């Protein structure tokens, strides 16, 4: 049994060695340990800068929508029937408060591309925002059209996700 365990361990190390060899061959400059973690570490601040404004707006919209729905007729009726406040908040109020959030969040995806121009210039990142600005400055029509196409596709994807979110949040919504 001891020799069979050794052969299994050797087989596992052989597979790991093959994976490392494949990574070295396909990697070009060679395998750099910790590259992914370093990249993630340096992208934390730009991601926070891009997402902070959208999240702040969504939080403000959530608060106002929940406060508005807490005083609505169906919440008062549920309280009068003796439903617990926790159930009223999570089952009734929050589901109806999600609809404006879903509407606004559909436009957040393409707006990240517009906001990335500033963040990319602050953090010296070569990205889509900087590419779009340079394409406009150099009057590269094809590149401007490509960036516009990608922005349009992101808008369509946001609207599609919003429609799916509507169907999940409100069971009365049906698409025929």
């Amino acid at each position: 049994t001891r020799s069979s365990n050794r052969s299994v361990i050797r087989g596992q190390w052989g597979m790991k060695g093959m994976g490392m060899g494949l990574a070295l061959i396909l990697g070009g400059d060679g395998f750099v340990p910790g590259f992914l973690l370093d990249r993630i570490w340096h992208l934390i601040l730009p991601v926070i800068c891009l997402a902070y404004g959208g999240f702040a707006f969504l939080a403000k919209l959530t608060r106002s929508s929940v406060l508005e729905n807490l005083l609505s007729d169906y919440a008062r009726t549920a309280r009068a029937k003796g439903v617990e406040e926790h159930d009223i908040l999570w089952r009734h109020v929050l589901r109806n408060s999600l609809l404006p959030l879903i509407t606004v969040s559909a436009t957040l995806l393409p707006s990240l591309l517009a906001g990335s121009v500033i963040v990319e210039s602050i953090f010296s990142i070569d990205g889509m925002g900087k590419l779009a600005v340079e394409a406009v400055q150099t009057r590269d029509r094809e590149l401007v059209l490509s960036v516009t196409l990608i922005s349009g596709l992101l808008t369509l994807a946001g609207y599609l996700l919003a429609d799916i979110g509507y169907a999940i949040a409100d069971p009365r919504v049906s698409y025929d």
Side-chain angles (χ1 to χ4, degrees), residues 4 45 54 107 109 135 150 157:
S4 65
L45 279 177
T107 61
L109 196 60
I150 290 172

Side-chain angles (χ1 to χ4, degrees), residues 26-176:
L26 298 176
D29 295 336
F31 180 71
V32 179
F35 174 76
L36 182 63
L37 291 175
D38 183 57
R39 183 65 73 169
I40 291 170
W41 175 255
H42 284 91
L43 285 177
I44 289 173
L45 279 177
V47 168
I48 289 172
C49 288
L50 277 173
Y52 184 74
F55 282 139
F57 180 69
L58 285 177
K60 185 178 177 181
L61 185 65
T62 304
R63 181 183 182 277
S64 65
S65 182
V66 166
L67 287 176
E68 179 183 328
N69 284 324
L70 274 174
L71 301 175
S72 63
D73 291 337
Y74 62 88
R76 280 187 288 170
T77 304
R79 280 191 199 95
K81 287 182 177 181
V83 179
E84 292 182 21
E85 193 67 30
H86 180 268
D87 290 336
I88 293 171
L89 180 65
W90 290 103
R91 288 191 183 167
H92 300 288
V93 172
L94 190 63
R95 285 191 87 133
N96 286 323
S97 299
L98 283 178
L99 298 177
L101 294 175
I102 292 171
T103 304
V104 170
S105 63
T107 61
L108 288 180
L109 196 60
S111 70
L112 289 177
L113 185 63
S116 69
V117 175
I118 298 167
V119 172
E120 287 171 3
S121 63
I122 290 173
F123 290 103
S124 298
I125 299 172
D126 293 329
M128 287 288 291
K130 206 181 258 190
L131 180 70
V133 169
E134 289 175 3
V136 169
Q137 288 174 346
T138 58
R139 296 182 182 169
D140 188 356
R141 261 179 274 187
E142 289 81 14
L143 192 54
V144 171
L145 286 173
S146 301
V147 171
T148 307
L149 175 71
I150 290 172
S151 178
L153 290 175
L154 286 175
T155 304
L156 287 175
Y159 289 150
L160 177 66
L161 290 174
D163 285 343
I164 293 170
Y166 276 137
I168 291 170
D170 193 1
R172 296 174 293 178
V173 175
S174 66
Y175 299 106
D176 292 329

